[in-house]
């Protein structure tokens, strides 16, 4: 047990060193992070002893502000942040950030900022120069027409994160798309879903706990943390969203058969719909694709994007939908 305790103390010390940055941080803040984010069961006095020892052993990594009461700690000016992050991990994190940043609402990536700054510092080291250059040799582009992100209030996000973390309800002032003024609702949060440029709170109304709904985060004007436990606190968001976020038309899958011209359909040889996809070129030079897919709106949006370069052959019901759509479009443009 003594050996395990020593290992825990070493790990705890390394984590505390990693918390040091240009912004001063208090003992209570460090203690809170150790408990909430790293799972340490430790009293405040032990953290104070850790900081006293670390500041003696690593004076180049921890500067103590003795003028503040209680003491606060930060990275000394000009010092390089301690990091166990490798150059490979640093460049991978920065590339991942470049890719996902346009997909998420403003402020949603703020918790990652300390790690991103750490990654940048790691890549500034001389021995990391090749990995730093690698970031300039690759580019991540998001597919499709890019819309601006919906703006989400940072205070709203903070409170919702806290509610999900603690498993509590919220009182939300929310403006629906059909109203001009916000209404107050008592909600049971179940999770967050980031879907393209719009993100959603998965939840249920206090008055109707059996119906799962999704509300766009940018329509929340204000959120107050409740003191009741959410009925969805132990639910997995993946299960809560299985029937709603895809705008599902039917619970069953459907077998589709599509006819593409070669320019539009050739990419499906390299990027198939699924591993079960069947694809061939008929005698007239058209690409014929067959597969079993979920019957949802996303399927229809995907097919519509090809315009007159694709024809729905089956099922009959889906073909009839596109027949009606083509007639409606003809009326608009005639």
């Amino acid at each position: 047990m003594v050996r395990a305790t020593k290992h825990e103390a070493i790990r705890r010390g390394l984590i505390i060193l990693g918390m040091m940055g240009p912004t001063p941080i208090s003992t209570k803040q460090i203690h809170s992070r150790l408990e909430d984010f790293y799972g340490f069961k430790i009293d405040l006095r032990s953290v104070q002893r850790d900081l006293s020892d670390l500041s003696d052993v690593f004076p180049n990594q921890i500067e103590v502000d003795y003028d503040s009461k209680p003491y606060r700690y930060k990275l000394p000016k000009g010092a390089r942040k301690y990091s166990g992050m490798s150059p490979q991990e640093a460049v991978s994190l920065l590339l991942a950030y470049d890719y996902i940043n346009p997909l998420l609402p403003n402020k949603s990536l703020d918790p990652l900022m300390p790690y991103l700054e750490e990654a940048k510092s790691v890549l500034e080291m001389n021995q990391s120069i090749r990995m730093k250059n690698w970031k300039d040799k690759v580019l991540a582009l998001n597919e499709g027409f890019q819309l601006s992100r919906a703006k989400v209030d940072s205070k709203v996000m903070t409170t919702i994160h806290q509610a999900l973390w603690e498993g509590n309800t919220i009182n939300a002032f929310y403006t629906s798309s059909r109203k001009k003024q916000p209404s107050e609702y008592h909600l049971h949060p179940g999770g967050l879903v980031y879907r393209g440029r719009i993100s959603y709170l998965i939840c249920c109304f206090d008055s109707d706990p059996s119906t799962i709904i999704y509300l766009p985060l940018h329509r929340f004007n204000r959120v107050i943390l409740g003191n009741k436990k959410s009925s969805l606190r132990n639910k997995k968001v993946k299960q809560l969203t299985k029937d709603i976020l895809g705008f599902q038309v039917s619970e069953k899958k459907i077998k589709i058969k599509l006819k593409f011209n070669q320019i539009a359909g050739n990419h499906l040889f390299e990027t198939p719909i699924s591993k079960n996809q069947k694809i061939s070129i008929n005698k007239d030079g058209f690409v014929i694709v067959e597969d079993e897919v979920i019957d949802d709106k996303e399927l229809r949006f995907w097919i519509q994007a090809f315009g007159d370069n694709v024809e729905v052959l089956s099922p009959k019901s889906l073909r009839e939908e596109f027949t009606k759509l083509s007639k409606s479009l003809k009326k608009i443009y005639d």
Side-chain angles (χ1 to χ4, degrees):
M1 291 299 295
V2 174
R3 186 176 181 82
T5 302
K6 287 181 178 179
H7 287 169
E8 183 179 83
I10 293 171
R11 176 170 168 263
R12 194 170 65 238
L14 292 173
I15 290 171
I16 291 174
L17 286 174
M19 291 182 190
M20 295 300 113
T23 303
I25 184 171
S26 69
T27 307
K28 285 186 177 180
Q29 288 173 311
I30 294 171
H31 177 252
S32 178
R33 291 185 187 182
L34 287 171
E35 284 199 330
D36 293 343
F37 298 114
Y38 296 97
F40 285 102
K41 301 300 180 184
I42 184 175
D43 56 52
L44 186 62
R45 180 59 185 155
S46 295
V47 177
Q48 291 172 336
R49 285 195 294 268
D50 284 346
L51 287 164
S52 177
D53 292 340
L54 289 168
S55 60
D56 288 340
V57 179
F58 300 99
N60 295 328
Q61 294 296 317
I62 298 183
E63 180 181 306
V64 186
D65 181 2
Y66 293 105
D67 294 329
S68 65
K69 299 297 180 182
Y71 297 156
R72 295 170 72 83
Y73 306 83
K74 67 175 183 177
L75 190 70
K77 187 176 181 180
R80 189 177 298 280
K81 182 176 173 64
Y82 166 80
S83 177
M85 188 182 295
S86 70
Q88 291 85 350
E89 292 169 336
V91 77
S92 296
L93 179 61
L94 291 173
L95 286 171
Y97 173 77
D98 287 345
Y99 181 78
I100 65 174
N101 183 42
L103 301 178
L104 302 184
N106 58 314
K107 300 294 183 181
S108 63
L109 288 174
D110 279 2
L112 283 180
M113 296 313 295
Y115 301 99
L116 294 169
E117 291 301 321
E118 182 178 348
K120 292 175 184 177
S121 297
V122 169
L123 293 180
E124 289 298 326
M125 300 177 185
N126 290 334
Q127 62 267 36
S128 303
I129 193 66
R130 289 185 179 178
M131 292 306 298
K132 180 183 178 182
N133 290 341
W134 179 255
K135 185 178 181 295
D136 297 328
K137 299 298 181 183
V138 293
L139 178 64
L141 293 176
N142 294 293
E143 189 176 16
F145 186 68
Q146 299 297 303
L147 302 176
S148 298
R149 287 173 287 168
K151 293 184 178 180
V152 180
D153 187 287
S154 59
K155 292 181 180 179
V156 165
M157 284 295 294
T158 298
T159 307
I160 289 177
H161 282 158
Q162 185 179 356
L164 287 169
W165 183 266
E166 298 178 5
N168 282 16
T169 57
I170 58 173
N171 290 325
F173 295 84
Y174 178 87
T175 305
S176 74
S177 59
R178 297 182 298 274
K179 296 181 180 179
K180 294 183 178 181
Q181 298 298 324
S183 299
E184 184 177 1
Y185 301 99
H186 188 53
L187 303 174
H188 291 240
L192 293 171
V193 171
Y194 299 105
R195 188 172 184 264
R197 298 307 176 97
I198 298 178
S199 302
Y200 302 88
L201 174 67
I202 308 304
C203 58
C204 66
F205 291 113
D206 187 55
S207 58
D208 186 11
S210 63
T211 302
I212 305 301
I213 59 173
Y214 58 100
L215 302 175
L217 292 176
H218 63 275
R219 292 184 185 151
F220 284 85
N221 300 86
R222 186 161 64 97
V223 175
I224 301 171
L225 185 67
N227 53 16
K228 288 175 58 179
K229 290 300 178 183
S230 170
S231 62
L232 304 179
R233 66 186 182 278
N234 296 321
K235 302 290 185 180
K236 294 181 179 179
V237 70
K238 189 174 181 180
Q239 286 298 113
L240 293 174
T241 59
K242 66 176 183 177
D243 294 332
I244 58 175
L245 279 185
F247 302 99
Q248 195 161 311
V249 175
S250 170
E251 293 184 359
K252 296 181 180 180
K253 288 188 174 183
I254 58 172
K255 292 182 179 180
I256 59 169
K257 186 175 183 180
L258 308 174
K259 183 174 79 172
F260 293 87
N261 67 34
Q262 283 202 36
I263 294 176
N266 272 342
H267 72 285
L268 292 171
F269 283 98
E270 299 169 338
T271 55
I273 297 172
S274 78
K275 63 181 181 180
N276 298 317
Q277 170 188 282
K278 295 179 181 178
I279 187 168
S280 61
I281 298 178
N282 68 11
K283 62 181 181 179
D284 297 319
F286 288 96
V287 178
I288 307 299
V289 178
E290 297 179 72
D291 208 338
E292 189 174 46
V293 297
I294 295 174
D295 185 15
D296 61 14
K297 291 294 184 184
E298 297 293 340
L299 169 65
R300 289 153 176 79
F301 296 153
W302 177 68
I303 295 174
Q304 286 176 35
F306 291 100
D308 62 356
N309 292 315
V310 64
E311 178 185 354
V312 177
L313 301 179
S314 65
K316 182 180 178 181
S317 58
L318 186 61
R319 182 179 176 86
E320 288 175 348
E321 282 186 42
F322 277 88
T323 299
K324 291 179 181 178
L325 175 63
S326 64
K327 290 179 180 178
S328 296
L329 290 172
K330 190 174 186 303
K331 289 180 181 179
I332 293 173
Y333 288 103
D334 276 351

